[in-house]
Amino acid sequence: MSQGALPGFRDFYPEQMATRNYLMSVWRDVARKYGFVEYDGPPLEPLDLYTRKSGEEIVGQLYNFKDKGDRDVALRPEMTPTLARMVAAKANALRKPIRWFSMPQLFRYERQQKGRLREHFQLNADIVGEASVVADAELLALAIDVMRAVGLTASDVRARVSDRHLLTSLLAEVGVKPTETAAVFAAIDKVGSEPRDVTLGKVEKAVSGVEARRGVARVLERTSDLNALAAEFRGSTDVMEAVTHMREYLNFLDALGVGDWVDFDLSIVRGLAYYTGTVFELFDAKGEFRAICGGGRYDDLLSSIGGVDLPALGFGMGDVVLTEILRSRNLLPTPEFGTDYWVAADDESMLPDVMTVAGRLRAKSRSVEYALKSQSLSRQLKTASTVGVKQVVLLRRDDYAKGKITLKTLADGSERSIALDAFLNTL
Ligand code: HAM
């Protein structure tokens, strides 16, 4: 009996594999344009790498088990803890700032839904060792450049940016206690997907002071307007410092030529626990799909995982949502499985000669197929045309004995006779 893949896991038939390879080649090209170098880590990690740092949401979705040596292990649900561990272990030897990228397959036991599977591939790009907001701008520009490279525009995709410092200072300013901040963060994180009174209900539960609740509501009225926030809270030095930082970030994004993709949106908080500064997410402009990409600054993670104090920032961009969007916009390239040449012979006893010629073509880096058993010429030509080969290298017994072959173009049936060595020399 045939059995399908596990729920949330994909089979990559050649067509899907071609799409995956296409995306990965774009990811790699764009990352390299920004000077990022590729790395990878193990797909299986110690469980506590995640339970300590990733935050409840991801920990609840772990694929974890005991291995045969009684170790608690987990399939990686995200790349950032691995990166932090790897960089921390060699921090002194690495030239900083580090610009690294990776394209891991990740595993999360999620409720299956549109855009969410139990495995996905994710471009991760991270910069370690640079506190300047220029690095934040550089990183987001990379993510946006991937959108451009796959044919999407600023009217298809929006980058929503915020800063946890700004939000924290606003909440402190209106009187939210430090112990209440996390719950308010969680409520604000859902502003985009929940009705306002649900959010306010959560805030009421999280925040004890009545004045503070009103203050949070004042903040919530201005989540997409930085100038309005600045005007409302101009008396607070901490808020104004964070506002200036955000303005710098936006100016640098302009300088990098991606400003028209970017919207300020204080409701972007991000689900992961370790972010400390700027945070961002990329969404399709119509809001039909889940987030394409998310990331931000996590300046404390390296010291808590590896004991080295290095600022860091990065993002993860998944293949699932991006593929869905590209498919919906007809932007996925048609896969080409083209083989360069088919080698055929007009005499069934010449299979070894066909194989020799195939070998010589392959030595010239051409892709070559031929019939894997003796067949009539008409049969061979028929197969050649169904696999999409453009040219057939045809061995005719008498010509071949004199070192000659026939090049047959399938589209128009035209033929050209040429010495085999001369032909190979043209390649
Ligand atoms: P994340 O927001 O959990 O961040 O994931 C980033 C992206 O990966 C999402 O926007 C989404 O496109 C994709 N993704 C996540 N989960 C799934 C899933 N179950 N199925 C399909 N796609 C998914 C992180 O993972 C951070 N570690 C990113 C990061 C890197 N931050 C700093 N450096």
Side-chain angles (χ1 to χ4, degrees), residues 109-126:
Y109 197 86
E110 294 220 39
R111 195 166 54 81
Q112 229 196 118
Q113 49 189 308
K114 188 174 154 208
R116 286 289 176 272
L117 299 174
R118 290 182 175 166
E119 54 75 23
H120 70 282
F121 289 88
Q122 204 184 72
L123 167 65
N124 274 251
D126 292 82

Side-chain angles (χ1 to χ4, degrees), residues 44-47 50-51 58-67 71-75 107 109:
L44 197 66
E45 289 275 22
L47 175 64
Y50 307 109
T51 48
I58 279 197
V59 170
Q61 299 168 339
L62 282 173
Y63 273 92
N64 60 302
F65 54 95
K66 271 198 195 297
D67 74 3
R71 292 175 204 89
D72 283 307
V73 295
L75 286 171
F107 304 89
Y109 197 86

Side-chain angles (χ1 to χ4, degrees), residues 338-378:
T339 303
D340 297 325
Y341 295 104
W342 185 279
V343 188
D346 67 355
D347 182 324
E348 295 192 19
S349 70
M350 287 175 74
L351 187 50
D353 301 306
V354 165
M355 295 164 84
T356 302
V357 171
R360 292 184 68 186
L361 283 164
R362 286 170 180 159
K364 292 275 187 180
S365 300
R366 296 308 191 274
S367 58
V368 181
E369 286 183 72
Y370 56 88
L372 297 179
K373 59 185 177 218
S374 292
Q375 274 181 347
S376 70
L377 180 59
S378 65

Side-chain angles (χ1 to χ4, degrees), residues 10 12 15-31 101-103 120-124 142-143 145-152 292 317-327 331-333:
R10 293 169 289 179
F12 289 90
E15 208 147 306
Q16 289 89 39
M17 195 66 203
T19 299
R20 173 173 139 192
N21 283 336
Y22 161 70
L23 261 194
M24 288 194 162
S25 73
V26 172
W27 283 349
R28 202 172 253 136
D29 286 350
V30 179
F101 80 97
S102 192
M103 306 189 293
H120 70 282
F121 289 88
Q122 204 184 72
L123 167 65
N124 274 251
L142 195 176
D145 245 355
V146 172
M147 299 299 108
R148 280 196 184 125
V150 292
L152 294 164
I292 303 167
M317 179 187 295
D319 66 328
V320 178
V321 176
L322 190 52
T323 304
E324 282 175 355
I325 293 176
L326 295 181
R327 184 167 295 121
L331 284 172
L332 283 176

Side-chain angles (χ1 to χ4, degrees), residues 78 80 108 110 115-117 120 122 124 126 270 272 274-275 291-296 298 314-316 318 320:
E78 59 155 340
T80 314
R108 299 183 188 179
E110 294 220 39
R116 286 289 176 272
L117 299 174
H120 70 282
Q122 204 184 72
N124 274 251
D126 292 82
R270 306 269 306 127
L272 290 152
Y274 48 66
Y275 293 108
I292 303 167
C293 168
Y298 51 97
F315 69 77
V320 178

